[in-house]
Amino acid sequence: MAQTSTVARGGGPPSAPARRPSRPARRSRGLSARAVPYVLLLPGLLVIGVLLLYPLYQMVEMSFHKVGLRQIRPNPKPAEFVGADNYAQVFQSELFWSSLRNTVVFAAITVALTLVLGTLVGLLLNRLGRAMSTFVVVGIMAAWATPPTATAIIWKWLFDADAGVVNWVLDQLPDGLSNLVFGRAAWSGEPWLNSPSTIYLVLIVAVVWASFPFIAVSVLAGLKSIPSELYEAARVDGSAPLTTFRRITFPLLRPVFSVLLVLSIIWDFKVFTQLYVLAGGTTNRDAFNLSLWAYTEAFSAPPKMGFGAAIAVVLTVIMLLITAVYVRQIVRTEDVR
């Protein structure tokens, strides 16, 4: 077949084919790239708003009113607005300071013990084989998954004055050892759950027992992300285990420990169920923490729900302040690094 070519006039090179005019780009009818994240967050924000923010708003509003039987019975009467009177009564009450002391001391001791025990167990799990580590994790997570009411009932039975296992075990100790360690030999009939100090001792044991598995598993997950070459280099350099933890493990797991610390403070500050069961309800007022005191004022006869809501708001503000201060410190540390 003969080939033909188009030659421009004047003997010049062939002319380039004419380009078709480009069509204007079609505009996407979907969402913009900036709107997509907010649309994805919308369902979660709605759930948070319905389940958390709206009840919180109701609690704050109730704290400025006098709410009692007249407001909750059929054909209720409007609640009387009392302004900040409920908050003034909270800070003037002797129970506030004793409840605040119990809350802070209990939270400080429990958070420290939980983090230390959970970290030690996490380090142990990291050194175990896969099968044994899985077996131990399943065992300890059963304690963490136990409902708080069941946990409190178990420990209340263990520390029972007449049929408790703890008193029986202590009675089996040699009299000389028991006198040397505890200053007494007989333990039968010891009323652990009558005094506020011993109630909180049992409460600390119960809460730590149920809380440290979560810390241990979280620490174990963090340890799995640390390169093994760092530990091998430390071992070659002759680093002691405590030095290795201080120089390698703790700095690399600092974000994990920060989150666990904040969560532990929040959980232990608002402990209610275990204390309610161990203290036998609302009869022992010396053993109140802020949560149990708020419940007692709101639902005992006659109910003072506005006053109880004010106590709950004060507890919420205290937790938010502690959390905000610590989170701010974490952010500053990360910025410096």
Side-chain angles (χ1 to χ4, degrees), residues 50-67:
V50 173
L51 299 181
L52 179 63
L53 297 181
Y54 181 67
L56 182 62
Y57 163 76
Q58 283 189 317
M59 182 181 70
V60 174
E61 183 185 19
M62 187 183 296
S63 67
F64 292 100
H65 294 78
K66 184 178 180 181
V67 182

Side-chain angles (χ1 to χ4, degrees), residues 81-104:
F81 180 79
V82 295
D85 288 352
N86 288 328
Y87 292 96
Q89 294 180 23
V90 168
F91 293 110
Q92 292 172 1
S93 174
E94 295 181 359
L95 274 176
F96 170 74
W97 301 108
S98 62
S99 301
L100 179 63
R101 182 196 64 234
N102 293 339
T103 303
V104 173

Side-chain angles (χ1 to χ4, degrees), residues 110-120 215 219 257 260-261 264:
T110 307
V111 168
L113 291 178
T114 303
L115 290 176
V116 171
L117 181 59
T119 301
L120 293 176
I215 307 296
V219 171
F257 286 124
L260 293 177
L261 178 60
S264 297

